[in-house]
Amino acid sequence: MMKFAWDSYKQYAFGKNELRPLTKNGHIGNMFGGLRGATVVDALDTLYIMELEEEFQEAKKWVEKSFDLNVNGEASLFEVNIRYIGGLLAAYYLTGEEVFKSKALELGEKLLPAFNTPTGIPRGVINLGSGMSWSWGWASAGSSILAEFGTLHLEFLHLTELSGNPVFAEKVMNIRKVLNRVEKPQGLYPNFLSPVTGNWVQHHVSIGGLGDSFYEYLIKSWLMSDKKDSEAKKMYDDALEAIEKHLVRRSAGGLTYIAEWRGGILDHKMGHLACFSGGMIALGAEHASEERKQHYMDLAAEITNTCHESYARSDTKLGPEAFRFDTGTEAMATRLSERYYILRPEVVESYMYMWRLTHDLKYRQWGWEVVKALEKHCRVEAGFSGIRDVYTTVPTHDNMQQSFFLAETLKYLYLLFCEDDVLSLDDWVFNTEAHPLLAGVLLNVF
């Protein structure tokens, strides 16, 4: 599948950000501020660990010869960090090839002006040429987004480690200081924070989009620091306790899910993006106190089971973008606008962690169901495409092979069927785009 996805991209869209497999052309989009080759950089480490050596060399050569960082355009700070900087760092740690390190550091420098705000909380959009930054137009009252400014920590500590320049670590340590200072409603972290005042802008809390990877990076920061970053561990433990108390619910049909919170009122919906949390909670459970360990493993298994149900209850055996628990139907999308599947990885990500931490065979079986469903419904003549409605067996394709399909979905599926020592969880921490970063090497930082 990886070879087919890569070969199709190479044939029809090489150097563009993503392949449009139905029209057989490339897509550039406006998320990466004029940067190109998102699929190349996102796929580097997957190609490498799958031992697709020729393909990896093609990708590396593109980075060496054609990857231009002198661009002008508005980029998502978050997306450039997790896909490009994460992908380059992982490729460097896996291969030791200097080109990946130097490109990562050069790009990291270009992101620093986004932090020039009264609080040091970065704005979400940056022009990589001019250094001008601003907030997303749709984010309420010029706010920054928890999942965006909270998902820089792993990569920025590695940038400091590799460059010897403390500025990257200082920027993300300051974010943490602001978050520790601000009052948390019921111990929860709302999704919108003002980069000017350092106060929450509205009380919407989600473990899905807008919030998700902030929590993931707390436990992973602790693991990556060789368990020295005790502040991250405490923030994670406290946040998870609040989430369990206020957001985790069990449906009438016995499914455990994580609701969203809007100013104290629960919205009984779970997004596909929130399905990473089974894997996160299992990863954290490994390191919880003895009496909590089993409790958290059980919670992780229940949430992962709910996410599996969202796939099992669809006609394609792929899961919708969001599913609800507030009507008679459970773990199903009720709105037309939530019935699509865009090759997302979060459910198979949790299968991979659950497999590695329990070795319960059902997780491999569930992963294989996804492989078969992708082959049946998403594979087209020239690549893989998302589908617009998972509840029909003659799906309409969305004509987009997302770069994260190669970075994450296929990587996690591959690792699910590998031996545990391929990217062992003891030695590697995955960033939120599934790029493996070496754990325990942050000597300049800790």
Side-chain angles (χ1 to χ4, degrees):
M1 291 165 82
M2 181 67 184
K3 185 162 168 42
F4 179 62
W6 174 262
D7 287 347
S8 302
Y9 166 75
K10 195 186 129 196
Q11 184 173 352
Y12 298 111
F14 199 45
K16 299 285 197 323
N17 284 327
E18 279 141 335
L19 163 69
R20 287 193 173 280
L22 271 72
T23 45
K24 299 182 180 170
N25 60 351
H27 171 75
I28 288 169
N30 54 5
M31 227 167 25
F32 306 119
L35 292 174
R36 300 284 193 265
T39 293
V40 179
V41 179
D42 245 355
L44 281 164
D45 52 12
T46 309
L47 293 170
Y48 186 82
I49 62 165
M50 290 187 183
E51 298 175 37
L52 292 167
E53 286 166 24
E54 200 179 309
E55 292 80 0
F56 175 78
Q57 289 304 329
E58 294 162 357
K60 179 188 152 194
K61 196 162 132 195
W62 185 88
V63 172
E64 284 171 334
K65 304 270 190 294
S66 310
F67 185 32
D68 183 11
L69 300 185
N70 295 312
V71 294
N72 241 316
E74 48 194 78
S76 160
L77 174 72
F78 165 78
E79 294 290 356
V80 169
N81 177 60
I82 66 170
R83 299 196 203 204
Y84 285 92
I85 292 184
L88 291 163
L89 288 170
Y92 172 68
Y93 282 122
L94 286 165
T95 67
E97 300 271 1
E98 286 294 323
V99 61
F100 299 132
K101 173 173 141 180
S102 63
K103 292 277 188 190
L105 293 174
E106 193 185 335
L107 193 48
E109 296 270 347
K110 288 182 178 288
L111 299 182
L112 291 173
F115 294 81
N116 295 338
T117 64
T119 56
I121 295 286
R123 298 189 194 276
V125 189
I126 181 163
N127 182 305
L128 296 172
S130 68
M132 284 267 299
S133 70
W134 56 95
S135 300
W136 292 107
W138 50 264
S140 57
S143 50
S144 295
I145 293 156
L146 181 68
E148 297 200 336
F149 65 76
T151 310
L152 304 166
H153 206 92
L154 302 182
E155 298 83 358
F156 274 55
L157 292 192
H158 280 279
L159 291 174
T160 281
E161 182 61 36
L162 292 177
S163 65
N165 183 349
V167 65
F168 300 105
E170 285 162 2
K171 296 291 188 202
V172 291
M173 291 300 189
N174 175 64
I175 292 174
R176 198 178 283 173
K177 213 159 55 206
V178 174
L179 286 174
N180 275 329
R181 206 166 50 220
V182 64
E183 187 69 33
K184 266 74 73 186
Q186 319 272 7
L188 296 165
Y189 290 83
N191 292 337
F192 296 101
L193 186 82
S194 164
V196 176
T197 65
N199 293 320
W200 304 115
V201 174
Q202 49 160 261
H203 285 187
H204 173 216
V205 176
S206 164
I207 311 308
L210 305 179
D212 49 13
S213 43
F214 161 68
Y215 304 97
E216 171 192 349
Y217 271 35
L218 291 176
I219 188 66
K220 287 179 173 179
S221 293
W222 179 70
L223 291 170
M224 202 177 74
S225 72
D226 228 2
K227 306 180 186 165
K228 295 188 180 84
D229 185 355
S230 51
E231 179 183 54
K233 179 74 158 68
K234 180 173 178 7
M235 287 172 75
Y236 172 78
D237 289 341
D238 292 351
L240 187 56
E241 199 176 315
I243 287 164
E244 194 168 8
K245 185 172 172 189
H246 298 289
L247 307 182
V248 172
R249 293 292 180 265
R250 181 176 283 243
S251 72
L255 297 176
T256 301
Y257 62 97
I258 305 181
E260 302 197 352
W261 192 81
R262 297 175 193 275
I265 296 160
L266 284 185
D267 184 5
H268 296 272
K269 139 188 164 183
M270 191 166 171
H272 193 292
L273 288 164
C275 283
F276 83 96
S277 58
M280 174 186 77
I281 292 167
L283 192 60
E286 268 240 288
H287 308 282
S289 59
E290 276 311 315
E291 71 275 13
R292 301 299 283 159
K293 190 174 285 189
Q294 196 52 52
H295 168 78
Y296 283 129
M297 279 314 287
D298 292 346
L299 178 61
E302 287 171 24
I303 290 169
T304 305
N305 177 65
T306 298
C307 291
H308 172 256
E309 283 298 317
S310 80
Y311 277 52
R313 294 178 188 196
S314 87
D315 301 293
T316 54
K317 304 301 176 213
L318 293 165
E321 180 68 4
F323 44 94
R324 296 181 175 267
F325 297 90
D326 45 12
T327 50
T329 55
E330 295 187 351
M332 290 182 73
T334 50
R335 305 176 184 188
L336 204 55
S337 61
E338 295 172 343
R339 297 164 75 130
Y340 61 87
Y341 172 72
I342 57 169
L343 307 174
R344 286 205 190 276
E346 292 76 22
V347 172
V348 297
E349 174 182 352
S350 285
Y351 295 169
M352 190 278 293
Y353 282 106
M354 294 305 294
W355 164 256
R356 289 250 173 132
L357 298 168
T358 68
H359 291 123
D360 183 331
L361 268 169
K362 76 178 175 196
Y363 296 112
R364 280 187 165 174
Q365 284 155 357
W366 291 355
W368 194 245
E369 289 168 13
V370 178
V371 169
K372 288 192 296 193
L374 286 168
E375 285 284 292
K376 186 169 177 187
H377 300 292
C378 298
R379 188 185 183 118
V380 293
E381 190 196 331
F384 288 89
S385 166
I387 57 177
R388 296 194 195 277
D389 184 355
V390 297
Y391 301 107
T392 166
T393 46
V394 277
T396 319
H397 293 100
D398 68 6
N399 195 23
M400 185 66 81
Q401 180 175 281
Q402 304 279 349
S403 81
F404 56 67
F405 180 66
L406 293 84
E408 302 185 70
T409 313
L410 294 178
K411 184 185 288 121
Y412 284 134
L413 281 167
Y414 180 73
L415 292 174
L416 173 61
F417 296 100
C418 280
E419 298 298 323
D420 289 358
D421 62 359
V422 179
L423 296 182
S424 156
L425 297 181
D426 295 330
D427 303 321
W428 299 91
V429 173
F430 292 93
N431 91 332
T432 199
E433 189 81 1
H435 295 307
L437 303 174
L438 216 38
V441 297
L442 298 174
L443 308 173
N444 288 339
V445 184
F446 292 99

